[in-house]
Amino acid sequence: MTDTDTALQQATTQVEAALADAAKRPTIAGFFDEATNTISYVVSDPATKEAAVIDSVLDYQAASGRTSYGSADRIIEYVEANDLTVTWHIETHAHADHISAAPYLQEKLGGKLSIGKQIIRVQDVFGKLFNAGTDFERDGSQFDHLFTDGEHFSIGELEGIVLHVPGHTPADMAFIIGDAAFVGDTLFMPDFGTARADFPGGDARQLFQSIRRLLRLPDDTRLFLCHDYKAPGRDEYAWESTVKLQRENNVHVKDGTSEDEFVAMRTARDATLDMPTLILPSVQVNIRGGRLPEPEENGVSYIKIPVNAV
């Protein structure tokens, strides 16, 4: 850790305090959606019962264009069964592989919808791609709060701090709550590696620097991941790791891996990957805070598919 990375120093102090005192650690429930390989989280303070929902999923059938709420309703059932009060709906970034259910959950449970401030860069890029027009605001106003690097927040009596970790997209943020870090798509399980960096605004070199920043947190920091695809030879889905395990075992970015080695690997690997199945519907909805485009004259919302443009 460099002396100038004040946000990382403060995150480290927070994690160390939580590791020393169980009362400062959150209760965490993960909800795995196999259709998109996404894990959503409910993070709660045992003392006050306040909670945050992180990276929720709206069920979407691409063939029919129909949405449903099974994944989100599981979260509602958990929140109600545990008598929780949701104060935050957090998006680690504008997802390209699933549609957010945050507006639906916000309507049912209350709470503020939030994302990193750099969402405005993503809105600008994809607003042009989808020809969203002048009615589409590119200022993040679709969200209740835009987090910045080093910003502090709370869930009940639990302390939280936000770290900007661009590379996968320009807007990726890691949310450190107590001793737990929710790192979005920066990292996968150690046996699967790291996220791609070839989306518009992505950058493999930035991704390496962001990951190494996260891996300067204390060894026992719990890392909660947004996706799992079961690495070859592993039979069970998994989504919790630690800084120590990632530093020792991550197949793409473990200790001893140079930045140039990572960039070469990531660039070559990304060139072999297909676009995510739901990237076109997901991005144009998620840059609107998970809301569908405004209905047209017939009362129907339409998702655009740009032809030969991606």
Side-chain angles (χ1 to χ4, degrees):
M1 183 190 319
T2 64
D3 291 338
T4 57
D5 195 340
T6 302
L8 184 60
Q9 290 177 336
Q10 292 174 344
T12 296
T13 299
Q14 175 191 293
V15 170
E16 290 173 342
L19 289 171
D21 183 355
K24 297 181 178 180
R25 301 175 208 159
T27 298
I28 300 166
F31 298 82
F32 183 70
D33 176 60
E34 191 162 0
T36 62
N37 294 88
T38 302
I39 304 93
S40 305
Y41 297 98
V42 177
V43 186
S44 59
D45 173 20
T48 66
K49 297 286 190 175
E50 286 192 20
V53 178
I54 300 178
D55 291 336
S56 60
V57 174
L58 178 71
D59 301 321
Y60 177 75
Q61 295 294 326
S64 65
R66 289 197 171 274
T67 60
S68 56
Y69 303 102
S71 296
D73 285 340
R74 291 168 58 205
I75 289 175
I76 293 173
E77 290 170 4
Y78 175 84
V79 167
E80 292 179 343
N82 289 276
D83 196 28
L84 302 177
T85 299
V86 174
T87 54
W88 290 105
H89 298 274
I90 292 171
E91 303 290 341
T92 55
H93 61 296
H95 307 278
D97 40 31
H98 72 270
I99 296 175
S100 170
Y104 172 76
L105 291 170
Q106 188 178 31
E107 179 184 349
K108 300 293 184 181
L109 301 172
K112 292 183 178 181
L113 174 56
S114 63
I115 199 166
K117 187 174 182 179
Q118 294 303 314
I119 186 62
I120 59 177
R121 290 182 57 192
V122 180
Q123 288 177 328
D124 186 56
V125 169
F126 284 101
K128 293 174 182 174
L129 175 65
F130 293 113
N131 198 28
T134 56
D135 289 341
F136 173 59
E137 298 292 344
R138 295 161 170 82
D139 58 2
S141 58
Q142 299 84 353
F143 300 84
D144 298 312
H145 186 78
L146 302 180
F147 280 107
T148 57
D149 184 61
E151 183 173 348
H152 294 259
F153 68 106
S154 63
I155 301 171
E157 296 175 1
L158 295 176
E159 295 182 357
I161 189 170
V162 186
L163 298 180
H164 186 211
V165 286
H168 173 62
T169 79
D172 281 64
M173 306 294 277
F175 292 82
I176 296 87
I177 303 167
D179 67 323
F182 298 85
V183 300
D185 286 12
T186 53
L187 284 164
F188 297 136
M189 290 299 288
D191 57 1
F192 201 87
T194 59
R196 65 195 299 165
D198 61 334
F199 294 149
D203 185 290
R205 201 166 294 279
Q206 271 194 334
L207 180 61
F208 178 86
Q209 294 165 2
S210 293
I211 291 171
R212 296 311 305 182
R213 186 187 193 199
L214 287 171
L215 296 185
R216 293 199 295 274
L217 289 167
D219 281 353
D220 291 333
T221 306
R222 295 183 287 165
L223 303 181
F224 290 88
L225 319 177
C226 192
H227 297 286
D228 187 57
Y229 303 95
K230 287 196 297 192
R234 175 158 54 85
D235 296 328
E236 301 293 330
Y237 290 110
W239 48 82
E240 180 179 351
S241 183
T242 66
V243 165
K244 187 175 190 294
L245 288 172
Q246 294 283 358
R247 291 185 63 165
E248 292 179 348
N249 300 306
N250 189 287
V251 294
H252 292 168
V253 73
K254 64 185 176 183
D255 285 356
T257 305
S258 74
E259 184 172 316
D260 287 342
E261 288 171 338
F262 175 82
V263 170
M265 177 282 302
R266 189 69 266 169
T267 303
R269 184 177 177 86
D270 288 351
T272 71
L273 300 177
D274 293 329
M275 285 289 104
T277 302
L278 296 182
I279 184 172
L280 295 177
S282 294
V283 171
Q284 64 187 294
V285 174
N286 291 337
I287 60 175
R288 292 177 165 88
R291 299 173 185 87
L292 295 172
E294 286 296 317
E296 298 190 8
E297 292 85 350
N298 60 358
V300 177
S301 293
Y302 290 87
I303 289 176
K304 294 181 179 180
I305 304 296
V307 178
N308 299 325
V310 177

